[in-house]
Amino acid sequence: MVKPARRGPYFCGIDAAMDVVSGKWKALILWELDAYGTRRFAELRRGLPGVTEKMLTQHLREMEQDELVHREVYREVPPKVEYSLTEHGESLNRALTALGIWGNERIRRIGAEKVHVAAS
C-alpha cells in the first residue's frame, strides 16, 4: 500500500528532502539508477544486495509518487517493466553528491569495509 503524498508541513528544506529520501534503500536506488541507467526490477534487486522484494517495490512506488522515478510498462509477454530517473530524481541525486563524498571520507577515516557489487 502506497502512503499518501507527503506535502508537509516542514520545518526547513532538509526536513522536506529527508522526507523524500527516508528509508534505507531510496538513496541507493537513486545511486543505482544514476550509475547504470534504466533498470528492470530484477536488475535493481541484484544491484542492492539485502533488499527484499517487498521493500524494493514499496520504495519504488513511493519514489514514483514523489516523481523521482519513472516506471515504464511494456505490453508484452512476459510483461516488462523498467525504471529510470526523472529530471527531478537526477536533481536530487546531484544534491546527494556532497553527502556521498562525506560518506566516502567517513569510510576511509574509520577504516570501514566498502562493499563492491558487480554490475549486472
Side-chain angles (χ1 to χ4, degrees):
M1 175 190 232
V2 176
K3 296 185 283 187
R6 295 174 297 279
R7 302 276 184 225
Y10 297 114
F11 294 105
C12 64
I14 290 180
D15 186 20
M18 294 307 292
D19 189 27
V20 173
V21 294
S22 64
K24 178 177 180 177
W25 300 103
K26 287 184 181 178
L28 296 174
I29 293 167
L30 286 169
W31 176 84
E32 178 79 10
L33 290 173
D34 184 62
Y36 299 107
T38 300
R39 306 289 269 174
R40 294 179 72 174
F41 185 88
E43 292 172 320
L44 280 170
R45 188 149 183 229
R46 278 192 302 273
L48 302 169
V51 69
T52 63
E53 186 172 325
K54 178 184 176 187
M55 191 55 62
L56 182 56
T57 299
Q58 178 183 327
H59 282 336
L60 285 168
R61 285 180 182 160
E62 290 174 6
M63 294 172 78
E64 185 179 7
Q65 185 179 28
D66 289 331
E67 300 177 356
L68 301 174
V69 170
H70 173 72
R71 180 176 185 262
E72 183 74 33
V73 179
Y74 295 90
R75 305 282 180 212
E76 56 188 54
V77 177
K80 177 179 170 183
V81 179
E82 293 181 334
Y83 296 90
S84 59
L85 289 178
T86 63
E87 189 175 312
H88 192 53
E90 289 172 357
S91 71
L92 176 57
N93 223 18
R94 286 191 301 273
L96 290 172
T97 299
L99 186 60
I101 292 168
W102 183 91
N104 281 328
E105 175 58 26
R106 175 171 166 71
I107 291 169
R108 187 200 59 74
R109 185 173 53 81
I110 66 174
E113 181 181 351
K114 188 171 182 180
V115 176
H116 296 281
V117 178
S120 53

